[in-house]
Amino acid sequence: MPRQGAEDRHHDGPATWADPVTHVERLPARPGVTTEWPTWVPAQLREVLAARGVPAPWQHQAHVAELARSGRHVVVATGTGSGKSLAYLLPALSLLLVDPRATVLYLAPTKALAADQFGTIAGLGLDGIRPACYDGDTPRAERSWIRQHARFVLTNPDMLHRGILPGHGAWSSFLRHLSYVVVDECHSYRGVFGSHVAHVLRRLRRQSERHQRISPASRTGGTGPSSRTGRPGTTRGRTTGPTFLLASATSGAPEQAARQLTGLPVDAVTEDTAPRGAVTFALWEPPLLPGARADAEDLTPVRRSALRESADLLADAVAAGVRTLAFVRSRRGAEVVASAARKALDEAVPGLGDRVAAYRAGFLAEDRRALERSLAAGDLLGLATTNALELGVDLVGLDAVLICGYPGTRASLWQQAGRAGRAGREALAVLVARDDPLDTYLVHHPEAVFGRPVEATVLDPTNPYVLGPQLCCAAAEGALTPADLELFGGAAVKETLDELVAAGLLRRRPSGWYWTPVQRPDVDLRGEGGTPISVVESATGRLLGTVDAGSSHFLVHSGAVYLHQGVSYVVDELDLDGACALVHAEEPDWSTHAREVTSLSVLSVRQYQDAGPVGLFVGDVDVTSQVVSYQRRRIGSGEVLDTRPLDLPARQLQTVAVWFTVSPAALAAAGIDPADVPGALHAAEHAAIGLLPLIATCDRWDIGGLSTASHADTEAPTVFVYDGHPGGAGFAERAYQAARTWLGATRDLVAGCGCAAGCPSCVQSPKCGNGNNPLGKADAVRVLDVVLANLPAASADAPVDAG
């Protein structure tokens, strides 16, 4: 969101117990601009919308609808609460009302959003629309009816990938008449997940076009909507296939991201003409705890936990009758905030704690639905949630949003903040900083939050670790032909197909490439790495929830504390082969934090810059990591009680990294003693990882790093930062392109931190496998000064191509 109308801003300074607010931004209210209904909107739909308080559309809604109606693919990228839903529902519902055969497919990144949109559409009471949710929670008995009779199917990319496209024959009638595909919250499709979804959409295009080509009723000719049906026409030479309508939060270059996602030319509508209530946005830094220590040996000051601070703010808001949503980064964090707020409220007014709950992924379907109903009905005043409720769900009546920790991108920040004050009401948003380099930087540099455009979405459909498996899925749905190559990526596809043939997964025939194994490909769109781990109570056998396999080593290792709906459990055993974690109820006064060790080898260099004593590189690497132990930390103070070993298997990752090298002579000239080089590089690595989300659409937990005083492959002091996804996710490449900006912000953060020798706000990392030892804060600044002094002003304008 661009900065405008800021006023009454606090002086940027350290948080104190008296005033933890470092900055206040006030965004003024904005009036809306309406227009006439398009003439093709049926009277029945206009009347239903008017009866629900929509007498006329906003200008941007009508613009989007007109583009889609003419057969042009379009993305609407406007602010939260701007009515994007009506923009895509207008052409979709209008068509369904006038063409009894037409169908529409709606895709949401979360089940909650799809369920919310289903409620909206069903609530309109329009005859013949027949909307239905089709996801993993849909009873088997209902699925056959949906395939045969539903005309507006709401689902998610995972179900499209696993449940619809593999059985496209059973969906032939639906696909034959598929006219619109709505891709909601498309900015969430980034990184590896977004790259997978891009191919799922291409597979959908392929199957819908095939079914429409073989249908005697498929539409023909024309350059605009049919006068009989109002169906999308055939612009740009397109004779079959649906029109894509995409909805996005405000983002950089939305048309480019939508084009990457769909493989189609897309028009963008970005002018927001909806009204907006005034927003007060505060940046909040929890104060330092007087006399607290990180552990028994360390005198580093400790900040009050962002979780504790958010829980207190949530409790205060609920006690005052303010309907509040608290966004928390992790599942466990959401449980902690909800539990602490409930406890504080019950101590003040017994029973008031019942009006606070946690909401997160991993809950059973019936639990999620019950919470959604309670929130909609107003039975709950406060909800601590992960980003499961960030996207689109219309949470009517919320007054305030607490954001516990920067969510990783400005797009997510504004999306979460926009959950409050919908329908034009005034709203309060508070970003509560974690003790983390990026959060600390942002609360003391408000211009980085309010003065910059929202990031562009980063995805890479040509990632070989995505492209290969997706080609296998497409071939299993029907032989790939030479005509399909351009759809999936052109030249890169042919090379990947040759590799799949050599591996025995595909068979080449004159007519195309055929899938050879008996079983269908097993591809996880979200890169979560295998079968989810079931969390089961040992004494009763009750299933509490699930944890994705990729997170299980961190969240449900033996001895881990696992929180579920405010109840604390301790893990007795993690059975990876059986995909099960056995737990028992316990309320310890400590939390657990897994520690990981990592090794890395360079496979190839894609590009590099020779800057004298400094080298900057991007390339392919092989990373081996293993969770080897966990710390138990006292709740409240963060004091480390002990470290306990774990025996878990190592995991291997081939990915993309950015790294820089510095000559030993340059380090010595900067005043860094050879014995202090490891700590200097280690501290610079931690801070660089923490600041990378400032310039790339990633999260700190999407990336990893390694530093060494002498690496075997570079033969020099080296700092690596790598993407935490197979094949890379585009983050390292972005870091390489913006190295000066990235490393300059890193240097400024470390130098400007008020601690003496390093703290979580600058160079300490919450996931360090070496226990944040050694770390040299002052020497890290010297390392970064050397790098910045030698890199050219535009660090990647003239890279050397190494391949």
Side-chain angles (χ1 to χ4, degrees):
M1 180 178 288
R3 187 174 185 171
Q4 56 178 316
E7 59 183 59
D8 295 339
R9 292 189 290 273
H10 277 248
H11 171 69
D12 179 33
T16 66
W17 281 100
D19 186 7
V21 176
T22 62
H23 179 85
V24 173
E25 191 89 3
R26 302 189 192 279
L27 303 174
R30 179 187 64 206
V33 182
T34 60
T35 189
E36 297 294 322
W37 291 110
T39 56
W40 44 263
V41 177
Q44 180 188 0
L45 180 55
R46 292 199 304 268
E47 291 166 3
V48 166
L49 291 171
R52 284 161 174 75
V54 187
W58 307 120
Q59 279 187 356
H60 69 274
Q61 293 173 328
H63 187 194
V64 171
E66 291 282 14
L67 287 170
R69 172 61 161 47
S70 70
R72 298 173 74 89
H73 310 292
V74 59
V75 57
V76 53
T78 53
T80 305
S82 60
K84 292 186 284 288
S85 296
L86 183 59
Y88 57 69
L89 287 177
L90 270 181
L93 294 177
S94 295
L95 176 60
L96 294 181
L97 287 170
V98 298
D99 182 352
R101 297 177 305 169
T103 59
V104 174
L105 182 68
Y106 169 93
L107 296 173
T110 66
K111 293 178 183 178
L113 178 53
D116 182 76
Q117 287 297 304
F118 167 77
T120 297
I121 297 165
L124 295 175
L126 296 169
D127 295 334
I129 300 299
R130 297 199 297 273
C133 276
Y134 192 83
D135 58 33
D137 297 336
T138 304
R140 293 281 175 185
E142 295 180 15
R143 296 187 181 191
S144 177
W145 183 92
I146 293 172
R147 287 192 294 268
Q148 296 174 28
H149 302 293
R151 301 182 61 216
F152 198 125
V153 172
L154 301 98
T155 186
N156 53 67
D158 309 84
M159 197 64 176
L160 177 60
H161 161 64
R162 292 186 182 274
I164 296 177
L165 291 175
H168 58 84
W171 290 84
S172 59
S173 177
F174 183 89
L175 293 171
R176 187 180 307 131
H177 301 107
L178 183 60
S179 301
Y180 289 111
V181 175
V182 177
V183 185
D184 206 356
E185 305 291 356
C186 66
H187 64 281
S188 66
Y189 300 123
R190 59 181 178 85
V192 170
F193 178 43
S195 302
H196 273 296
V197 172
H199 285 292
V200 172
L201 294 181
R202 285 160 174 77
R203 287 160 49 200
L204 172 64
R205 288 174 51 201
R206 177 173 177 253
Q207 290 305 328
S208 64
E209 290 170 10
R210 284 186 171 187
H211 283 276
Q212 290 174 18
R213 280 199 302 268
I214 64 175
S215 166
S218 59
R219 57 182 182 265
T220 60
T223 58
S226 162
S227 59
R228 179 179 67 84
T229 66
R231 181 187 295 278
T234 58
T235 62
R236 300 170 178 165
R238 180 165 46 84
T239 58
T240 58
T243 297
F244 280 77
L245 286 131
L246 302 97
S248 169
T250 304
S251 63
E255 69 283 354
Q256 179 180 338
R259 192 180 309 123
Q260 279 189 297
L261 198 59
T262 62
L264 295 164
V266 179
D267 294 309
V269 175
T270 57
E271 184 179 1
D272 190 341
T273 58
R276 184 191 65 201
V279 179
T280 299
F281 203 134
L283 303 183
W284 184 292
E285 185 179 38
L288 293 170
L289 291 170
R293 299 181 300 171
D295 60 47
E297 306 297 327
D298 184 10
L299 295 179
T300 301
V302 177
R303 281 196 185 280
R304 192 163 192 265
S305 161
L307 294 175
R308 287 285 175 182
E309 202 85 339
S310 298
D312 285 353
L313 290 172
L314 180 60
D316 290 344
V318 170
V322 177
R323 295 187 63 185
T324 304
L325 194 64
F327 283 102
V328 190
R329 299 294 303 279
S330 67
R331 297 180 181 185
R332 181 167 61 182
E335 293 279 7
V336 167
V337 168
S339 178
R342 279 196 298 264
K343 182 178 179 181
L345 288 166
D346 282 334
E347 289 175 353
V349 181
L352 188 55
D354 294 340
R355 305 197 71 183
V356 175
Y359 183 103
R360 59 174 176 80
F363 279 5
L364 302 180
E366 55 268 29
D367 295 334
R368 292 197 306 270
R369 299 293 177 261
L371 287 168
E372 290 161 15
R373 288 192 298 269
S374 296
L375 184 65
D379 297 332
L380 290 174
L381 274 179
L383 198 64
T385 179
T386 59
N387 62 0
L389 283 180
E390 172 185 322
L391 303 174
V393 178
D394 193 5
L395 305 177
V396 177
L398 287 178
D399 304 304
V401 164
L402 306 174
I403 304 170
C404 181
Y406 183 63
T409 66
R410 286 182 289 277
S412 288
L413 180 74
W414 288 110
Q415 190 79 352
Q416 292 181 4
R419 293 297 95 189
R422 305 196 83 174
R425 289 184 298 273
E426 291 192 13
L428 171 67
V430 181
L431 172 61
V432 181
R434 294 171 301 162
D435 209 357
D436 168 273
L438 180 58
D439 287 36
T440 301
Y441 181 87
L442 292 174
V443 296
H444 292 289
H445 294 80
E447 70 280 1
V449 177
F450 303 104
R452 295 189 183 181
V454 174
E455 311 89 345
T457 302
V458 176
L459 63 150
D460 179 16
T462 64
N463 179 337
Y465 287 84
V466 173
L467 180 58
Q470 287 294 331
L471 290 174
C472 289
C473 292
E477 293 157 8
L480 288 164
T481 67
D484 292 324
L485 300 192
E486 191 61 34
L487 172 66
F488 288 101
V493 175
K494 182 60 173 66
E495 181 180 343
T496 304
L497 287 173
D498 291 342
E499 294 173 358
L500 295 172
V501 170
L505 295 173
L506 298 184
R507 182 174 296 165
R508 180 72 166 102
R509 290 289 182 263
S511 57
W513 291 264
Y514 290 78
W515 174 248
T516 56
V518 175
Q519 300 295 325
R520 293 187 182 277
D522 184 14
V523 178
D524 181 0
L525 299 188
R526 299 179 188 260
E528 293 172 342
T531 305
I533 303 296
S534 298
V535 182
V536 177
E537 190 172 27
S538 302
T540 64
R542 180 168 65 104
L543 176 64
L544 299 177
T546 60
V547 173
D548 64 84
S551 301
S552 62
H553 290 210
F554 294 92
L555 298 181
V556 289
H557 57 77
S558 296
V561 175
Y562 176 80
L563 293 174
H564 179 73
Q565 293 186 333
V567 179
S568 178
Y569 297 83
V570 174
V571 178
D572 300 313
E573 178 187 0
L574 171 59
D575 180 1
L576 293 173
D577 293 332
C580 178
L582 298 176
V583 303
H584 69 271
E586 184 179 338
E587 293 285 344
D589 64 351
W590 37 263
S591 59
T592 52
H593 305 264
R595 299 173 64 186
E596 185 179 51
V597 296
T598 302
S599 62
L600 180 151
S601 59
V602 176
L603 302 177
S604 64
V605 174
R606 296 183 181 183
Q607 292 180 308
Y608 71 92
Q609 292 182 67
D610 185 348
V614 172
L616 180 68
F617 304 79
V618 65
D620 301 287
V621 298
D622 190 355
V623 180
T624 301
S625 59
Q626 184 176 18
V627 174
V628 296
S629 63
Y630 68 96
Q631 288 182 340
R632 297 192 309 158
R633 300 180 190 170
R634 192 174 302 282
I635 294 174
S637 69
E639 176 187 354
V640 176
L641 301 176
D642 59 20
T643 299
R644 300 190 172 191
L646 290 170
D647 183 17
L648 290 168
R651 294 185 284 190
Q652 202 148 5
L653 172 71
Q654 287 193 2
T655 186
V656 180
V658 59
W659 65 94
F660 64 80
T661 60
V662 186
S663 73
L667 294 176
I672 304 174
D673 188 91
D676 296 328
V677 169
L681 298 176
H682 194 195
E685 171 216 330
H686 282 182
I689 290 172
L691 266 292
L692 182 55
L694 193 66
I695 55 97
T697 53
C698 66
D699 181 273
R700 179 175 192 141
W701 299 88
D702 287 331
I703 50 182
L706 182 142
S707 57
T708 175
S710 180
H711 192 271
D713 296 323
T714 66
E715 299 181 339
T718 309
V719 171
F720 294 91
V721 176
Y722 58 84
D723 292 357
H725 300 276
F731 308 140
E733 288 97 328
R734 175 63 182 147
Y736 180 78
Q737 294 161 5
R740 278 200 67 87
T741 301
W742 168 41
L743 296 176
T746 302
R747 186 262 176 213
D748 291 345
L749 168 80
V750 178
C753 185
C755 69
C759 68
S761 295
C762 58
V763 299
Q764 291 182 356
S765 169
K767 57 177 185 173
C768 180
N770 295 313
N772 287 298
N773 184 50
L775 289 176
K777 176 188 173 182
D779 286 336
V781 175
R782 297 184 182 100
V783 168
L784 293 167
D785 281 339
V786 171
V787 174
L788 292 166
N790 286 277
L791 283 181
S795 63
D797 280 355
V800 178
D801 190 336

